[in-house]
Amino acid sequence: MRLLKVATCNLNQWAMDFDCNLKHIKESITRAKEAGAVIRLGPELEITGYGCEDHFLELDTVNHAWECLKEILLGDWTDGILCSIGMPVIKGSERYNCQVFCFNRNIVLIRPKMWLANDGNYRELRWFTTWKQKDRLVEFQIPLEISEALSQTTVPFGYGYIQFLDTAVAAEICEELFVPNPPHTELALNGVEVFLNASGSHHQLRKLDLRLRAFIGATHTRGGVYMYSNHQGCDGSRLYYDGCSCVVVNGEVVAQGSQFSLKDVEVVVAQVDLDAVASLRGSISSFQEQASCKTSVSSVAVPYNICQPFNLKMLLSSPQEIMYHSPEEEIAFGPGCWLWDYLRRSGASGFLLPLSGGADSSSVAAIVGCMCQLVVKEIANGDEQVKSDAIRIGNYTDGEFPTDSKEFAKRVFYTVYMGSENSSEATKMRAKVLADEIGSWHLDVCIDGVVSSLLSLFQTLTGKRPRYKVDGGSNVENLGLQNIQARIRMVLAFMLASLLPWVHNKKGFYLVLGSSNVDEALRGYLTKYDCSAADINPIGSISKQDLRTFLRWAANHLGYSSLAEIEAAPPTAELEPIRSNYSQLDEVDMGMTYEELSVYGRLRKVFRCGPLSMFKNLCYKWGATLSPTEVADKVKHFFKYYSINRHKMTVLTPSYHAESYSPEDNRFDLRQFLYNARWPYQFRKIDELVQELNGDKVAFKESGNLETLGGTAGVGGMGVVAAAAGDPKAGL
């Protein structure tokens, strides 16, 4: 047996906070060494933080990374342990995203990333270049100040692996695992047994399985030990990096870290037998054949043994069942941890939420409540950092600290019901009951006086007073009256967030939380600069359907039973008067259901469908119940209001990223915001196809072969099957 103990980790780094990041790196190395590990893997760009973005273009960022690496190497951190540390490196005139391998106070190899992530939320090609010289290692001149301190002037740089006396180790950095021809294939044929994947992978609902299947597949037929390390937490942006560092041996997970946690450092250790890797490879004839005619990869020789012989005191890590969270748990824990990081790092004293008693704001309230529960639980488990942050934010004194989530919520969470003459008693009571269950400091405010004052001012200026549509007013008047209420609530929310801490003799300010969901953003079903305008929004990239499922889950699992009644109520903005024969409903206003919106969103973003392609695919999806004309009308209606309202995405509150079809305009979904909302060419093509299809149906009917348009194949080569699933605010 060749026994090897390895350690990987989740680190909660903060972009550009070098002190914080260096502290976490050192702590993770210390814990790895205490556990007896001889390999320690950290996440991608861990010294700087992954989310530095254009700060990577600053020489200071690269220089500070070298200074931190020097501090690690001058101490005893790397004595007897191979440490893979992520940082940016400039070679010549190019900037590379690198893993720096350090062992016994020396830099052994600098491995630049060869394939960069450059889609979705990733923009690595903006800051880095790819390493293209795969055929050899080159000499890298270590910066003078660093080389003098280390007494080392050069180091091998490029694509290669480290050859110890008893095994071979190599890096495969994040995106490289997912390319068509990943490096681990070639490296395995060259005898590499241990693969180190440093990653900066963010959370997205239902994404973890895709990631884990990639690790399993990398070693299932080739053999090997696959180590994965990831960031965990909010490092300063919309993304939450969801950890789940793990070790996979021959296609089986033997160690797995948490996906969501408040911990700053989590180290995952595994004891593996490398002879099991050699045995599997030797049993696969095709592997042997391909290895015999492989393309050689350069290596760096390190004359040390890092494995241990057979020893009954060293227990092997056994395969374990993979831990997956349900989507409802992901919605609770991901945004909950993200909010905690944002709160403790922003200098704020808590959150303020306009709580309407509806599904969306109640979801946000439940997530904050979950955050409070996580904080109290982590303190009870002995996390001193969480305890210290909670004492500071909650303004505890005399040795006190949070022991009850409701008591902690009372200190850090304000909820405000801002009712009007159009609000119902039912939503008012739901908001109050939920606030009591969570423990927030709840206020009930009537905004009618402010609305009336503004209308009187308008009447003084113009001589006219607008009326609601149900009272005989026009669409323009109706829209204006609704928007006044919505925008007053935004102004009042920010005023309360800034002044209520002062009223209660507390330091700092409160962050205003938004509560619009991804479907409303996609459709533009929100008033520009209403309560959707906030500091941050934990649900802005979550669908209405997922939120309703989350509410049912949270009613049982978080202890907020009133959420069941909130989920069952029909969604309504409550911006128009309630009459015996009229009650405002969201889906009626939008002219489409939330389920339909999810389908449109996935087709538009995930499957990259324009109007015509969407129409073709929905003919197959909905053709059993809708005619081509009806499908066409739905597609046109969606694209009309999507394009009219796209400008709202330019001022969308920064939202936790969770959904693959998010319309967020800042970096994920980059499109124009001024459209020809008539889509004349595209809609004409749809009309021509509708006419053709209707003609075909007539012909089929005459021949006695009429069939529905249901099915799974696409039209015109598309083959996309989407996942199941009179606007008063249009354009404003």
Side-chain angles (χ1 to χ4, degrees), residues 88-106:
V89 174
I90 293 177
K91 185 182 186 303
S93 57
E94 306 96 46
R95 185 182 297 98
Y96 294 98
N97 176 348
C98 297
Q99 286 301 116
V100 181
F101 287 93
C102 305
F103 185 67
N104 285 345
R105 309 194 187 197
N106 283 301

Side-chain angles (χ1 to χ4, degrees), residues 44-60:
E44 184 177 12
L45 296 167
E46 59 183 312
I47 292 182
T48 58
Y50 184 83
C52 296
E53 300 188 334
D54 281 1
H55 285 297
F56 283 126
L57 304 179
E58 301 165 5
L59 290 178
D60 278 359

Side-chain angles (χ1 to χ4, degrees), residues 24 50 138 175 223 392-393 418 428 587 622 633 674 688:
H24 295 166
Y50 184 83
V138 299
E175 178 73 9
R392 173 179 54 84
I393 295 168
M418 294 185 261
K428 178 180 177 180
E587 293 183 333
W622 294 340
D633 288 343
L674 177 61
E688 291 171 359

